[in-house]
Each structure stands twice: as C-alpha cells, then as structure tokens.
Amino acid sequence: MFPSRFDYKSPTSLEEAISLLAANEDAKVLAGGQSLIPMMKLRFAAPAVLVDINNIPGLDGHGAQSDGSYRIGALVRHADLEKSSTLGDHQPTIAAAAPLVADPIVRTRGTFVGSVCHADPQGDWASCMVALGGSIVAQGPNGRRTIAVDEFVSGPFQTVLAADEIAVEAVIPPASGTRKGGYLKLERRVGDFATAGVALSLEMSGSTVAKAGIGLTGVGSSTISATEASAVLVGSSLDDATIAAAAEAAAAATSPRSDHRGSADYKRHIVATFVRRLLAQHQPVEAKVA
Amino acid sequence: MTLFEEVPVTTTDDIPVRRVEMRVNGETRAANIEPRLLLAHLIRNGLQLTGTHTGCDTTNCGACTVLFDGQPVKSCTVFAVQADGHDITTVEGLATASELHPIQEGFKDEHGLQCGFCTPGMMLSAKALLDENPNPTEDEVRWALSGNLCRCTGYQNIVKAVLWAAEKMRGGAPADASADDGGDA
C-alpha cells in the first residue's frame, strides 16, 4: 500500500518546523508515525506536506523537574519509558502502561506525545493523562501555551492544536502527596487495542487518599474520566466498601459498545474488576484486615 | 535500435525526488526516491534485498522488521526518506561470507521455522534483544518477540532457537535440545 503523494520536510529546529506548518496548508507533523503512517497507507489521512520532527534536537528527554512536575518530550518513544529505570519512582501509572502500549517493535518508534495527539479513544496514554491531570504544551508562532488534556482532546482523533502548533511536551503536575497508581489493560493479543483499560492515579497523605484520578480506555466514544469514582476515593483509606463503591461508579461511567472484542456488559465488568484490582494493590495493611 | 526502449516519463508534479544515503548492512547505499516510498519497498525493490518480507503491510505482523540504528522497526511503517543518514540492518546483514550468525544457527538447530516467512523479522527482533540483554530468560525472549507473528510454529522452537543463540553468543556450548532428533547418534 502506498500513501498519497506528499512533500517531505525535515526541519532541524522547532521554529523552522512551525514556520513550515504555517506556510503549508494541510501539513501534518510526523513523529513516531506508528498511527499516522498506517492511516496514510489506508488513505484515511492524506496530508500534502509532512513535517518530520525527528531531526529536531532536545525533544527526546523525560524526567522529574525541580517543581515536582514530570515532563515528557515530543520524541520520547514508548520504549524509552518502558526501559527507564527511574520512571517508576516518579510516575507509577505511566511506568505500568508503557509495556502494554502496542507491541515491542511499535514501541521503539511510536511516541507518548504523538499518541496523545492522535487522540484515539482507544489510546492507552490518554487515559493515563486523564487520571494524572496532565497537560500538553503546544508551541506556535506566538509562543507556548499549556492545555489540560481534557480540553486538548476535542473528540475522536481531534485536538484543539492549531494548524501551526506543535505539541512539544506532556506535563504531569506535581503530586500533593505520595504518588501511587497503575494501569491494567485487557487485550486479545499483544498489539491489539484495549478491550478495556483502566488508569489509576492516587496521591496519598499517609494512608488517606488526598487526590485520585481514574481514566478509562476503550469503553466509550472518547477517553473517559471517571470523576465520580475518584470522588468516592478521596478522604478514604481504601477500605473494602470504598473500593467496591469506586468500582461500581467507574463501571457506571462507561458507555461501551458490544463488538468483536466483547459485549458491553463484559467490558463494564472488566472495568469494575480492574478498578478493584488496582485499588487493592494500594490498600493499606490495616484496611485489608478490617 | 531495439524494438523497445523505455524512456523516462516527464512529470508535472512538483514534489521533488529526494536523494537519501544510508548504511545498509555496513555498506553505504544511496537512492533518489519519492517521499512516500516506504522503507520496506526501498529495501526489497530498490536495493533488491528480498530477505525482508512484507507480510500484513498494516503494522501488525512484524515480518518486515529491520534494525534502524540497532532498534527493531517495522519497515512498512517507516518512510525511506526517514532512514537518510541512518544505519539499517536487514537479515542479509546477519551472516558473514563464511558463516551463519549464531541466531541463524539457532533457528536451524532448533527448527525455529517452518514456512520461514516470519523468520527474518523474528531473527532481527532477537538480535536487538540479545544486543541489549545477552542472557535473557524465556519470558524475556517471549516478550521481545511478541510483536512478531508466526502462523506455523506455535513459537516454542523460535524461543528455543533464541535461547540457543544467546548461550552460543555468550561463549557457552548450547545445550542441544534436538541432539537426539537424528535418531542413532
């Protein structure tokens, strides 16, 4: 399969890339290309110009900042996150999801930020970003702006990025306590999209939940933020009754479709089960005994 | 004058052809290409290195896997222009003139293939794993190969082949699980 014809630009600075986007109507940014290139081959996408950002230095770093936030540059590959020895200490939710994104070969090439920009309702990273309250930093001709992920994604495969803006990094805000969390995904085989996935973020103050976020993958027409379920958790010590209530609230927040991956009821059941499992991992010892 | 002489077609298209230069299996190769040419097609049709197989052409199967600066990529999902200035290894880069690569030996010794279509991709994923982790567990081998699909073997002998190669590359004598397959040794 061949994509439609396009012109290819490989700028070596962000400024050059942004001016190329501004000068060319129907231009598209190419980072890892693991969603864009298949879509171009199927002719679901046919940009006239591809602006390849892979030769721009300084976009491939990720790490904790002095203010406690965590930044992930636009060229950080899924595999960079999967193989990081320090990510788990700072961002357990992202560290848990990294090995479950696509398959090992796609992970060497595909990027975290590119995946969020692709805005596939079945994307794993969007759920993590929703759970963690993350933002995307976009750079355009007039400088940078920070956009919360729930505003950034405006619909399936749609974002609020302007035609002359590039998503340069993702930012996870500092935790207000000890950060805990995880990601669970049910897939029929490696590399498939999630039948259902749950991202959990907890900020613990001692054994009490100070802040919580739950993002759901593949169980609605967009990534779902299970806000009622996370509200149930705040102030609790993750006792069994709270966990059961959160699982029920998360399942109620979904609107899955029955398809070849499973029935709607099955997917709701998986979401409740995953929420229970993830929370049980972080249940304080005394709550388990009670 | 022959009966047929192909002449270049002139095009009004203003998309420029790009010259790219890359190291393929250690050798510098250059080509003029259209940006939409996929790396898999440059390798197979342009460079005539047909060991790289195109399976699904939809980023699923991993048959077209090559190493891009040492990392496995699906060459059907990378544009050839993106390889400009980079280092590509295909299955043809594994063996030397005189001997097979230990991974190839492992696949031969442990019967790690049946139809052989997925084998080049499997071997390159295995090479990337062993370059990074010379002593993988069986689980780590299975994990590393989980992006490469095989419709014949059930994967058992592929995993054995990679473990065999790992041991050989570490300098040990691989425990020859199939030593008695030949019968009256």
Side-chain angles (χ1 to χ4, degrees):
Chain A
M1 290 185 294
F2 284 92
S4 303
R5 288 193 152 173
F6 60 86
D7 199 1
Y8 172 84
K9 308 284 183 190
S10 49
T12 52
S13 75
L14 272 176
E15 292 69 27
E16 189 188 349
I18 290 162
S19 58
L20 283 166
L21 289 176
N24 291 283
E25 221 176 296
D26 196 21
K28 187 98 183 141
V29 172
L30 174 65
Q34 300 301 288
S35 297
L36 179 59
I37 297 174
M39 285 182 77
M40 289 174 66
K41 288 168 71 179
L42 293 166
R43 313 245 174 161
F44 290 141
V49 178
L50 271 193
V51 178
D52 183 354
I53 61 169
N54 283 283
N55 299 309
I56 300 177
L59 296 176
D60 57 356
H62 66 96
Q65 309 297 303
S66 52
D67 66 352
S69 67
Y70 200 93
R71 289 177 181 255
I72 300 173
L75 288 177
V76 173
R77 320 278 167 179
H78 311 304
D80 297 335
L81 297 169
E82 181 186 9
K83 290 172 186 170
S84 167
S85 55
T86 54
L87 176 70
D89 299 336
H90 300 286
Q91 297 295 338
T93 308
I94 293 174
L100 302 178
V101 174
D103 67 54
I105 315 171
V106 167
R107 287 199 292 274
T108 63
R109 195 89 197 135
T111 66
F112 180 101
V113 172
S115 172
V116 176
C117 290
H118 182 53
D120 189 325
Q122 290 186 298
D124 300 295
W125 288 131
S127 298
C128 295
M129 287 284 277
V130 160
L132 291 160
S135 305
I136 292 291
V137 177
Q139 185 170 333
N142 304 317
R144 292 189 170 197
R145 61 179 180 136
T146 302
I147 312 160
V149 70
D150 46 357
E151 290 161 34
F152 179 76
V153 178
S154 52
F157 305 102
Q158 288 173 323
T159 70
V160 300
L161 266 186
D164 55 1
E165 277 183 319
I166 295 177
V168 292
E169 62 184 12
V171 185
I172 314 298
S176 50
T178 311
R179 197 184 272 298
K180 306 267 185 195
Y183 188 75
L184 287 175
K185 174 182 184 178
L186 180 70
E187 53 185 0
R188 296 176 303 166
R189 57 170 176 80
V190 168
D192 193 17
F193 289 103
T195 302
V198 176
L200 169 74
S201 157
L202 294 174
E203 296 171 28
M204 305 293 291
S205 169
S207 59
T208 308
V209 177
K211 200 173 168 195
I214 296 176
L216 307 176
T217 312
V219 286
S221 59
S222 63
T223 303
I224 292 169
S225 176
T227 47
E228 282 178 32
S230 15
V232 167
L233 298 173
V234 175
S236 82
S237 293
L238 299 179
D239 54 281
D240 290 344
T242 305
I243 290 180
E248 199 180 319
T254 64
S255 49
R257 276 197 327 193
S258 296
D259 61 13
H260 56 291
R261 292 191 175 87
S263 70
D265 278 347
Y266 174 65
K267 292 179 186 180
R268 266 191 290 270
H269 179 75
I270 294 298
V271 166
T273 304
F274 279 177
V275 170
R276 267 199 305 276
R277 279 186 197 167
L278 283 167
L279 288 170
Q281 288 170 12
H282 302 293
Q283 202 174 23
V285 180
E286 59 270 30
K288 276 183 192 161
V289 175
Chain B
M1 175 67 194
T2 52
L3 283 172
F4 175 82
E5 182 190 16
E6 185 164 359
V7 294
V9 176
T10 52
T11 169
T12 53
D13 210 311
D14 58 356
I15 291 174
V17 165
R18 308 245 322 189
R19 183 181 191 278
V20 293
E21 196 174 302
M22 63 194 79
R23 304 268 298 168
V24 180
N25 301 329
E27 204 179 310
T28 303
R29 308 289 294 263
N32 289 327
I33 58 171
E34 217 193 305
R36 64 173 171 163
L37 182 71
L38 295 161
L39 182 58
H41 294 140
L42 174 70
I43 291 169
R44 283 182 56 79
N45 305 350
L47 305 179
Q48 295 284 303
L49 294 170
T50 51
T52 300
H53 295 161
T54 316
C56 68
D57 208 2
T58 54
T59 327
N60 281 289
C61 76
C64 66
T65 300
V66 300
L67 301 185
F68 188 108
D69 295 337
Q71 294 293 315
V73 301
K74 295 179 182 177
S75 62
C76 79
T77 315
V78 176
F79 290 118
V81 279
Q82 295 185 276
D84 191 21
H86 291 273
D87 207 273
I88 304 297
T89 305
T90 70
V91 68
E92 288 89 345
L94 288 181
T96 60
S98 57
E99 58 184 338
L100 293 176
H101 188 281
I103 294 173
Q104 294 171 309
E105 270 187 272
F107 272 72
K108 177 167 170 271
D109 230 71
E110 295 292 334
H111 303 278
L113 62 142
Q114 286 176 29
C115 84
F117 196 86
C118 72
T119 312
M122 286 286 180
M123 293 200 293
L124 288 164
S125 281
K127 179 164 194 308
L129 168 70
L130 298 183
D131 285 347
E132 221 165 77
N133 177 3
N135 193 9
T137 63
E138 182 183 329
D139 268 1
E140 285 168 336
V141 172
R142 288 184 182 277
W143 189 257
L145 297 181
S146 61
N148 296 80
L149 303 185
C150 171
R151 302 304 304 269
C152 305
T153 63
Y155 302 98
Q156 297 288 37
N157 288 353
I158 295 177
V159 174
K160 278 191 212 161
V162 176
L163 290 168
W164 188 100
E167 188 153 0
K168 168 122 194 206
M169 287 164 76
R170 289 198 307 273
D176 199 342
S178 55
D180 51 3
D181 282 3
D184 50 13

